Amino acid sequence: MVVSSNTETNTRRVEFEVEDLSAKVGGWVKIYWQVTPAFLYDHGYNVELGFDHIVQES
């Protein structure tokens, strides 16, 4: 779920539940970026997320 976004920096913060923090989590990301008026970067990637440094927010 997207919990915040910033159009100036083209960023989004997402949150999701993870059952096992010692295992990698598979996912997919889409990069859609109008770099210049003539160049559009439009690609998707399969990714693996690992959690080796966990910081809990207070």
Side-chain angles (χ1 to χ4, degrees), residues 16-18 23-29 45-51:
F16 55 92
E17 291 189 24
V18 176
K24 290 184 179 177
V25 176
W28 183 81
V29 295
Y45 299 94
N46 292 317
V47 297
E48 287 186 335
L49 302 175
F51 306 95

Side-chain angles (χ1 to χ4, degrees), residues 9-12 27-35 39-47:
T9 59
N10 192 25
T11 58
R12 286 147 198 86
W28 183 81
V29 295
K30 170 90 170 161
I31 311 294
Y32 187 84
W33 178 24
Q34 189 74 49
V35 180
F39 178 57
L40 172 65
Y41 188 89
D42 183 10
H43 294 280
Y45 299 94
N46 292 317
V47 297

